[in-house]
Amino acid sequence: MATRTHAPQRLSNCSAPDFGADTGVRQFPHSDRCRKPKESCPHGMGDLELLLPGEADALVRGLHSFQLREMGSEGWNKQHENLEKLNMQAILDATVSQGEPIQELLVTHGKIPTLVEELIAVEMWKQKVFPVLCRLEDFKPQNTFPIYMVVHHEASIINLLETVFFHKEVCESADDKVLDLVDYCHRKLILLVARNGCGDPSEEERPQDSTPMQELQKQAEMMEFEISLKALSVLRYITDCVDRQFPVLQSTHSKRTQHLHPVRWFSSPGKLQQFENGRWQTVAPSEQQRLTKLDGQVWISLYNLLLSPEAQARYCLTSFVKGQLLKLQAFLTDILLDQLPNLADLKGFLAQLALAETQPPKKDLVLEQIPDFWDRLERENKGKWQAIAKHQLQHVFNPSDQDLRLQAQRWAETYRLDVLEAIAPDRPRCAYCNAEASKRCSRCQSVWYCCRECQVKHWEKHAKTCVLAAQGDRAK
């Protein structure tokens, strides 16, 4: 962990399926997560079991970090599959209130820092290596699914972290890596703020004749938005531990708070769209004041950060920070307070803050911990991005037909349809038009359509994946 010196500041008084856990917003500051009783779980979820206790323990013990050039390799793929199984099992456990052994195993074996390192490593791969890979002249993959697995890896890890970070002992077990995780979430919040005012592009704006690589890049962009929303939830759970983790988190408090504010996304003038339950939904005018889960995460995070006794005692209130915080007063309406009554305390704090005088920062010298994993990883690989891309093109992303069939078999074993349907937050969507779907491809059983016409139009893109998935299923 790196350190730096500076003048102190004191603050006075988020294709492969989405495996995200719909955890919602818990009543704050202290209460249990709302869980569905086992007997009321849909799809018979209470009877599902993906991993036996011994299997889960072995998978958690085997988690380790990979270098950037190893991403997409055989060993990396096996760990990705193991993480998907742990992710789905953690969601099942959290939903049926049967205890959460995955979270306990990750803490016991000290694997939370490993997950944070893998999360940041794949983020760097997507930013530094993936664009170079796409520009290589001889990069013409016949099947883009192996690359998609790497792109999707970040979503898998952040989903798992979102599920387990509900428990405060998980945040504590992250040790110094919690600072790197906060820094990661901060980068994702910047993406969300930059996107404010941009809703879901309509189907008419999406070209239907794009190449497989163009389609992959578009999916990666859409996935980045959903990952950012997951990061917001993780950051909210970290703020629940702000008093316990204050010595580590205090250096990032004021910078990160600036990017926490209510966000709305508009797709066209006068039409409000909100992202909820894994998809964009148009909001009726009568429902526009309703507090969504994402809005709730932001407000709870602000509540935890600003009303924490440790934060109020240690931070220096500058005029800039004061001005940013007072902007929140316009959002604290009576309608909002009716939905989250605890925010009355936040409103009172801001009223006092408006009358308080700012003080210049003290001249004392302090040591501050700073996140260093991203910088260290970047230094180790600086100037090697093209070499890494060429190595992966030759050894990773150019598999033979036999390798693809074996990989398809492992994917079929990992993505069990009964489990995916059980943890899905909403009904399946059509792979072509995104409408609600009720029919599934009879060959691969993994892609949904709303009608025969959409299946025919989508067949050119789906054909290769469909054949591989079907072959892998028969090989079992």
Side-chain angles (χ1 to χ4, degrees), residues 406-427:
L406 292 174
Q407 185 67 65
Q409 179 182 346
R410 293 201 299 268
W411 289 332
E413 294 171 351
T414 300
Y415 302 126
R416 280 177 41 186
L417 294 178
D418 55 345
V419 177
L420 298 183
E421 291 176 2
I423 64 178
D426 206 347
R427 290 183 60 87

Side-chain angles (χ1 to χ4, degrees), residues 33 82 109 142 197 200 250 293 337 366 375 440 471 473:
R33 177 164 24 176
N82 293 340
H109 298 306
Q142 296 183 0
D200 185 33
Q250 62 178 343
K293 295 174 183 178
L337 295 180
V366 299
D375 294 335
R440 189 155 52 190
Q471 290 175 343
D473 191 48

Side-chain angles (χ1 to χ4, degrees), residues 48-155:
L48 288 175
E49 187 172 41
L50 185 63
L51 296 172
L52 297 175
E55 292 177 304
D57 183 83
L59 295 186
V60 172
R61 284 178 180 271
L63 295 177
H64 64 282
S65 300
F66 284 85
Q67 296 182 2
L68 295 186
R69 66 187 283 115
E70 297 177 305
M71 291 189 177
S73 63
E74 183 178 356
W76 183 93
N77 269 313
K78 290 181 179 179
Q79 177 157 297
H80 172 75
E81 293 157 11
N82 293 340
L83 276 171
E84 290 286 21
K85 293 176 182 177
L86 292 171
N87 186 19
M88 290 186 284
Q89 186 63 57
I91 296 172
L92 288 174
D93 293 337
T95 306
V96 301
S97 300
Q98 289 181 325
E100 301 190 26
I102 303 302
Q103 161 256 321
E104 296 170 2
L105 289 171
L106 289 171
V107 172
T108 300
H109 298 306
K111 294 300 183 178
I112 296 299
T114 302
L115 291 179
V116 175
E117 290 179 356
E118 278 291 279
L119 180 70
I120 296 174
V122 74
E123 178 196 19
M124 179 167 289
W125 183 92
K126 288 169 63 176
Q127 291 189 21
K128 304 291 188 178
V129 180
F130 183 51
V132 176
L133 189 66
C134 294
R135 292 195 298 267
L136 294 178
E137 293 182 2
D138 51 348
F139 182 58
K140 299 176 181 178
Q142 296 183 0
N143 192 296
T144 59
F145 215 70
I147 310 173
Y148 182 85
M149 285 293 99
V150 183
V151 174
H152 184 261
H153 191 61
E154 185 181 2

Side-chain angles (χ1 to χ4, degrees), residues 310-328:
E310 286 282 352
Q312 294 183 12
R314 298 195 185 202
Y315 273 109
C316 178
L317 176 65
T318 65
S319 58
F320 174 76
V321 173
K322 176 181 176 179
Q324 293 296 307
L325 294 178
L326 290 180
K327 293 179 180 179
L328 296 172

Side-chain angles (χ1 to χ4, degrees), residues 81 151 193 220 307 328 335 380 389 395 405 413 431:
E81 293 157 11
V151 174
V193 173
L307 299 186
L328 296 172
I335 297 176
E380 292 173 354
H395 299 285
R405 282 193 292 269
E413 294 171 351

Side-chain angles (χ1 to χ4, degrees), residues 255-302:
K255 292 186 294 182
R256 279 43 174 173
T257 305
Q258 296 171 21
H259 295 285
L260 280 172
H261 60 79
V263 178
R264 297 276 177 163
W265 289 279
F266 293 88
S267 61
S268 61
K271 180 180 178 182
L272 175 66
Q273 284 191 327
Q274 293 177 337
F275 192 83
E276 196 168 9
N277 293 330
R279 63 189 180 93
W280 288 94
Q281 302 182 38
T282 301
V283 183
S286 60
E287 294 290 318
Q288 292 186 5
Q289 296 299 319
R290 179 178 60 85
L291 186 70
T292 66
K293 295 174 183 178
L294 294 173
D295 291 332
Q297 300 286 32
V298 174
W299 284 115
I300 295 173
S301 299
L302 288 168

